[in-house]
């Protein structure tokens, strides 16, 4: 029986932080209408657009914005800052008209402290929603229930004076965690997802899926050696619980009731085997994010190792997903930056992301090489940066407004942007790069086109090639009738190499060498420029 490949396997997905994408009403905050306005930039069906297949939108639900939308007050509405439900419906239909799918962000682990559920829950010990959150009387003399630490660096238990119990919040005190052992909670979140599925939303990115369920007995974690207080304990009981895998499966059963929906888990885990557990036996989330690149040096050997580990862990249970940047981490162009080689390095990184086996997630702005923003203390908005500066600058640097043009505020807003625009915008912006055939944007467009035109690159197998020249990451992607060789030079030296393949010469097309190349390359004598990229059909 012929099985068709699900759309998300062949897709390139683009992450948008709506607050920082485009502001159409001059209040300094990006909005949904701004996303709609830029759909043609993302994919207008021609070679003059990026060519992505789906957008993942960070949360735009009503929220007091303590954690910029990851503190939800209502799972079935749009925050007026971002527009109205009509704006969303319009975005969805305009996107679908261009064959762009819409992935939303569901935040199942926690809500805002202003969510009506929590307001009820904290109102009395006998309230029917009391058990929707994690309440605990604490140990004798008001000592914390256990030794757990919160992800944002403080103790995650706060005393509530009215009902004289602690409530648990892994993130901010304004973000109480839901009790996923309560079937009513499960139903409430699944119903919210169904609400959006019914509207036609194509999938969800599931916020910290691995944190949904906590130990039933609230056991203390064993201590270990670590740099930050959070790392000084092994998080056996407050995260990565096997029960959280079941949460992914519940969501999958819901998604399967609709056609062609996709779930990707934010499995904030650095151990590939642990993260891959969320794929179940093909009955969990379709994809789990691989976070290993966040810690990877810019090294061919290192990336190769991480990819092999992820390939092994994912196996046939699901499908790999890769990203280099997102709204929580330093932008990779800056992480990997090295003086005059910075853009060259970003080019190799892009070629890797877009040729690996697995769905690539791009983060808005990486296609033009937007640098991580450097903000002064008084400019910080992220609660993490505000609390830990200068030890930690927070996540604002990844969230500075999109740089559309060289005009004031980078064309992001006619008002005063909620977060300072990176001063690099006069030289790094979409308008300039659209006109430049050698720009990073042009390379992203070309790589996406090459990937999508190739069965081997979008859905084929992955086989690393051993013993090539130092600093070169080499692999084959194969599908029926097509074999693609990818060579990525992660070093700043020219590399000469010889690849043993049949036939001995490239008979077919060279797709990129280093970026564009016409003609064939002798396999026995390949010259790879510093940071050179070769993608060739063999
Ligand atoms: C996820 C989000 C992050 C948020 C956190 C708390 O890690 O990506 O932005 O702060 O969850 O829900």
């Amino acid at each position: 029986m012929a099985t068709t490949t699900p759309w998300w396997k062949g897709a390139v997905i683009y992450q948008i932080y709506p607050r920082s994408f485009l502001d159409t009403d001059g209040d300094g905050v990006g909005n949904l209408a701004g996303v709609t306005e830029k759909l043609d930039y993302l994919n207008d069906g021609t070679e003059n657009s990026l060519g992505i297949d789906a957008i993942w939108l960070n949360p735009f639900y009503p929220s007091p914005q303590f954690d910029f939308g990851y503190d939800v007050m209502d799972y079935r509405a749009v925050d007026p800052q971002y527009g109205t439900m009509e704006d969303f419906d319009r975005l969805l239909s305009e996107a679908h008209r261009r064959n762009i799918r819409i992935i939303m962000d569901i935040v199942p682990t926690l809500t805002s402290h202003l969510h009506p559920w929590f307001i009820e829950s904290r109102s009395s010990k006998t309230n029917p929603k009391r058990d929707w959150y994690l309440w605990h009387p604490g140990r004798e003399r008001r000592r914390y229930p256990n030794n757990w630490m919160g992800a944002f660096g403080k103790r995650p238990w706060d005393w509530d004076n009215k009902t004289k119990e602690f409530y648990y919040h892994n993130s901010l005190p304004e973000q109480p965690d839901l009790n996923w052992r309560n079937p009513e909670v499960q139903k409430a979140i699944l119903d919210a997802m169904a609400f959006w599925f019914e509207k036609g939303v194509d999938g969800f990115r599931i916020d910290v899926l691995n944190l949904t369920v906590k130990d039933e007995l609230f056991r203390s974690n064993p201590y270990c050696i670590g740099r930050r207080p959070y790392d000084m304990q092994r998080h056996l009981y407050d995260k990565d619980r096997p029960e959280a895998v079941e949460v992914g499966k519940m969501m999958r059963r819901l998604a399967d009731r609709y056609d062609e929906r996709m779930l990707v888990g934010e499995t904030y885990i650095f151990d590939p085997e642990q993260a891959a557990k969320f794929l179940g036996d093909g009955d969990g989330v379709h994809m789990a994010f691989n976070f290993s690149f966040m810690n990877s040096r810019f090294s061919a050997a290192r990336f190769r190792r991480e990819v092999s580990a992820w390939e092994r862990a994912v196996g046939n249970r699901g499908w790999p997903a890769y990203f280099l940047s997102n709204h929580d981490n330093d932008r990779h162009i800056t992480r990997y930056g090295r003086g005059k080689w910075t853009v060259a390095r970003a080019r190799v990184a892009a070629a890797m992301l877009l040729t690996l086996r697995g769905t690539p997630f791009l983060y808005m702005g990486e296609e033009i090489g937007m640098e991580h923003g450097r903000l002064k203390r008084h400019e910080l908005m992220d609660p993490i940066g505000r609390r830990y500066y200068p030890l930690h600058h927070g996540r604002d640097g990844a969230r500075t407004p999109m740089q559309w043009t060289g005009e004031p505020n980078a064309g992001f807003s006619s008002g005063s942007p909620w977060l300072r625009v990176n001063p690099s915008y006069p030289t790094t912006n979409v308008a300039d790069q659209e006109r430049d055939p050698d720009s990073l944007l042009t390379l992203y467009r070309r790589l996406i086109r090459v990937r999508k035109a190739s069965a081997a690159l979008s859905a084929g197998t992955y086989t690393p090639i051993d013993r090539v020249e130092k600093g070169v990451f080499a692999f084959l992607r194969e599908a029926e009738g097509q074999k693609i060789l990818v060579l990525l030079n992660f070093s700043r030296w020219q590399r000469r190499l010889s690849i043993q393949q049949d036939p001995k010469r490239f008979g077919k097309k060279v797709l990129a060498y280093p970026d564009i190349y016409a003609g064939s390359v002798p396999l026995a004598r390949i010259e790879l420029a510093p940071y050179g990229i070769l993608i060739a059909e063999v």
Side-chain angles (χ1 to χ4, degrees):
M1 212 175 73
T3 50
T4 49
T5 309
W7 68 268
W8 41 268
K9 284 198 177 174
V12 176
I13 304 184
Y14 187 86
Q15 179 191 351
I16 292 181
Y17 196 73
R19 211 176 167 75
S20 298
F21 196 58
L22 181 70
D23 166 25
T24 58
D25 56 13
D27 65 356
V29 174
N31 50 22
L32 295 178
V35 179
T36 308
E37 195 170 310
K38 291 295 182 185
L39 287 173
D40 281 339
Y41 164 74
L42 298 174
N43 195 348
D44 69 358
T46 77
E47 299 190 348
N48 299 322
S49 65
L50 195 54
I52 55 94
D53 305 279
I55 300 170
W56 150 31
L57 294 161
N58 286 101
F60 50 82
Y61 310 101
S63 162
Q65 311 288 345
F66 283 89
D67 191 23
F68 295 105
Y70 284 96
D71 44 334
V72 179
M73 277 167 69
D74 181 351
Y75 287 94
R76 299 170 184 226
V78 175
D79 192 306
Q81 286 195 21
Y82 302 122
T84 60
M85 192 58 92
E86 287 67 50
D87 291 331
F88 176 76
D89 292 339
R90 184 155 167 269
L91 167 57
L92 189 63
S93 66
E94 286 296 313
H96 283 172
R97 206 160 63 76
R98 292 167 177 81
N99 290 322
I100 301 175
R101 317 240 180 181
I102 298 287
I103 310 298
M104 283 179 59
D105 207 314
I106 186 75
V107 191
T109 306
L110 44 84
T111 70
S112 161
H113 67 312
L114 300 180
H115 195 297
W117 300 341
F118 189 66
I119 294 176
E120 276 194 51
S121 182
R122 81 190 308 180
S123 66
S124 86
K125 277 188 184 160
T126 54
N127 185 279
K129 293 214 167 52
R130 182 63 171 185
D131 187 49
W132 280 42
Y133 292 82
L134 300 166
W135 292 97
H136 196 289
R139 289 176 286 182
E140 70 289 357
R141 280 184 288 136
R142 254 173 78 171
R143 276 165 64 228
Y144 292 124
N146 55 26
N147 74 348
W148 294 356
M149 285 299 299
F152 288 3
K154 287 213 170 147
R155 300 296 295 234
W157 295 102
D158 265 37
W159 182 253
D160 188 61
N161 223 358
K162 177 141 188 248
T163 55
K164 309 266 185 269
E165 281 191 324
F166 289 99
Y167 70 91
Y168 176 83
H169 59 86
N170 181 54
S171 299
L172 300 173
E174 293 83 7
Q175 294 174 294
D177 280 49
L178 285 162
N179 175 13
W180 265 88
R181 295 182 186 274
N182 184 326
E184 292 174 13
V185 168
Q186 300 169 4
K187 182 167 184 315
I189 295 290
L190 292 170
D191 285 354
M193 293 170 76
F195 169 84
W196 297 100
F197 276 147
E198 295 289 336
K199 274 187 171 290
V201 164
D202 301 283
F204 286 96
R205 173 261 191 190
I206 307 161
D207 189 60
V208 283
L209 173 60
N210 55 314
L211 298 188
T212 43
V213 189
K214 286 81 175 170
D215 181 46
E216 203 162 14
L217 304 172
F218 297 111
R219 278 170 284 189
S220 281
N221 287 322
Y223 288 106
C224 63
I225 311 233
R227 268 189 312 127
R228 307 171 304 161
Y230 185 75
D231 304 324
M232 292 177 191
Q233 46 186 252
R234 283 179 56 218
H235 293 271
L236 290 187
Y237 297 116
D238 57 342
K239 61 182 286 208
D240 309 346
R241 304 290 309 160
E243 298 93 319
V245 174
E246 299 306 313
V247 172
K249 291 185 184 175
M250 281 178 213
M251 294 177 170
R252 172 66 180 273
R253 286 195 292 274
L254 173 74
D256 281 350
R257 286 203 234 134
Y258 302 85
D259 280 349
E260 306 196 323
R261 309 303 161 100
M262 180 276 276
L263 299 175
V264 54
E266 186 205 17
T267 38
Y268 213 126
I269 304 172
F270 292 93
D271 172 5
E273 293 293 335
Q274 282 281 355
K277 285 198 177 137
F278 287 83
L279 303 169
D281 289 314
D283 56 352
V285 292
H286 298 102
M287 296 186 277
F289 278 121
N290 174 328
F291 272 83
S292 73
F293 288 176
M294 295 304 103
N295 288 340
S296 303
R297 278 180 303 113
F298 192 80
S299 134
R302 179 64 187 265
F303 282 120
R304 194 199 133 123
R305 209 163 54 233
E306 299 296 0
V307 170
S308 294
W310 192 225
E311 280 280 333
R312 240 188 342 265
V314 171
N316 294 324
R317 297 195 283 178
W319 181 250
Y322 291 100
F323 68 99
L324 288 164
S325 288
N326 69 11
H327 65 294
D328 287 331
N329 291 280
D330 286 12
R331 284 182 173 275
H332 71 270
I333 191 165
T334 306
R335 292 204 313 268
Y336 297 139
R338 183 68 61 88
K340 66 170 181 169
W341 297 111
T342 298
V343 176
R345 285 175 156 224
R347 295 172 85 90
V348 189
M352 175 183 74
L353 186 63
L354 290 162
T355 52
L356 284 175
R357 171 183 175 270
T359 301
F361 284 72
L362 313 180
Y363 179 51
M364 63 174 213
E366 78 170 68
E367 73 277 21
I368 55 167
M370 266 176 71
E371 299 255 2
H372 195 73
R374 294 166 61 104
L375 295 137
K376 302 203 180 70
R377 182 179 203 153
H378 71 269
E379 294 170 328
L380 298 181
M381 302 297 287
D382 178 25
I384 297 190
R386 292 167 82 125
R387 184 181 288 170
Y388 294 108
Y389 190 92
L391 285 177
H392 194 307
H393 292 214
R395 302 166 293 181
D396 293 309
R399 303 172 180 177
T400 60
M402 180 73 181
Q403 295 164 208
W404 295 106
T405 68
E407 284 149 34
N409 294 336
F412 161 70
S413 169
S414 60
S416 158
W418 75 280
L419 189 63
R420 183 164 61 79
V421 178
N422 193 319
S424 67
Y425 71 87
T427 48
T428 304
N429 62 63
V430 171
D432 287 353
Q433 293 200 17
E434 284 194 311
R435 287 189 290 265
D436 176 0
D438 297 322
S439 68
L440 190 59
L441 177 59
T442 304
L443 177 70
Y444 268 86
R445 287 179 174 178
R446 193 173 296 144
L447 286 168
I448 292 171
R449 236 182 301 134
V450 164
R451 180 183 180 92
K452 291 184 56 186
S454 152
L457 286 177
S458 42
T461 56
Y462 163 87
T463 317
I465 302 176
D466 293 331
R467 290 184 297 279
V468 282
E469 199 65 10
K470 193 164 174 277
V472 176
F473 185 9
F475 53 89
L476 288 169
R477 299 290 316 279
E478 266 173 274
E480 222 172 297
Q482 196 187 36
K483 190 168 182 180
I484 301 244
L485 169 72
V486 179
L487 297 178
L488 305 168
N489 185 356
F490 278 79
S491 82
R492 64 190 165 92
W493 313 107
Q494 166 143 341
R495 297 290 185 203
R496 279 216 181 89
L497 53 147
S498 156
I499 300 280
Q500 302 305 320
Q501 281 289 319
D502 274 338
K504 287 275 179 293
R505 285 182 73 80
F506 291 134
K508 298 185 184 170
K509 265 189 303 210
V510 173
L511 304 174
Y513 178 67
D515 291 340
I516 343 158
Y517 182 84
S520 65
V521 175
L523 281 178
R525 249 187 72 106
I526 299 172
E527 298 208 348
L528 211 49
Y531 299 109
I533 303 160
L534 181 133
I535 304 169
E537 202 168 329
V538 294

